[in-house]
Structure formats: C-alpha cells, structure tokens
Amino acid sequence: MRELGDVQPKLKWPNDLLLSNRKLAGILCESTDMSKRPVIAVVGLGLNIGTVAFPSELKTVATSLTGQVTASVDPPILAAAWVAGLEGWTERIGLGNRDGL
C-alpha cells in the first residue's frame, strides 16, 4: 500500500490496519493444534478499497483507499502484492519447519 502514494498505515493490535486513525483493513487468523502435523493456518483478509460512502455508524471509524491515495488502485495487483508480502512472513515464522515454530 505504501507504493500507492503517501500512505502510512499503522497496525492496531491484534488485527486492524488503520489509515488516518480509521480502520482500513482487518486480518483474522486461525490454526490447527500446533503440536499436531500438519499445521494448517487459515488467514482472512479484508481491505476497504473503493468504498466512498459508509453507513452513518461507520463514517468516523472506517476508511478506504479511495480518496486516501494519490495513485489509482488496481484490486488484482494490490491483492497479488499483499499475498506476496504474506509469503515472506510465512518464511520468517517458519511455517512448514517444525524447528521454526
């Protein structure tokens, strides 16, 4: 997302991504019992890309990339970049490598 312009999203622990102090994205993770093999992790990602008008109850707490970035947003390219970034994290935490868990 940083490549789209002057965007500085911040992580709000444990699973929110904030932009301009409003929720831009959420990440949810589930995994099987780490002591059993194979370990399976399911990651759900939600990103507000083109929403312009939020319902009144969300206007002050949610945002989207539209209007927040200087570049145009191509959802398939953005999704591919996000997945590529996640692949780097799976290597860092050692998924598939028992010694790395």
Side-chain angles (χ1 to χ4, degrees):
M1 283 186 270
R2 288 184 182 111
E3 295 173 9
L4 293 172
D6 189 21
V7 180
Q8 298 297 323
K10 294 183 174 34
L11 181 64
K12 177 184 172 192
W13 186 259
N15 63 344
D16 292 342
L17 191 61
L18 303 179
L19 184 59
S20 301
N21 292 319
R22 295 187 290 167
K23 186 171 180 175
L24 174 67
I27 304 168
L28 295 174
C29 301
E30 296 276 337
S31 69
T32 58
D33 185 341
M34 299 289 279
S35 66
K36 297 180 180 172
R37 297 291 176 231
V39 173
I40 299 170
V42 178
V43 179
L45 307 169
L47 173 63
N48 297 328
I49 295 176
T51 305
V52 177
F54 287 95
S56 59
E57 66 272 12
L58 297 178
K59 284 182 180 179
T60 61
V61 296
T63 191
S64 71
L65 286 175
T66 299
Q68 294 276 338
V69 297
T70 55
S72 63
V73 179
D74 185 340
I77 291 174
L78 182 61
W82 202 350
V83 169
L86 286 173
E87 287 175 341
W89 279 102
T90 61
E91 293 172 8
R92 284 182 174 179
I93 62 174
L95 288 177
N97 175 354
R98 187 176 183 96
D99 296 332
L101 296 176

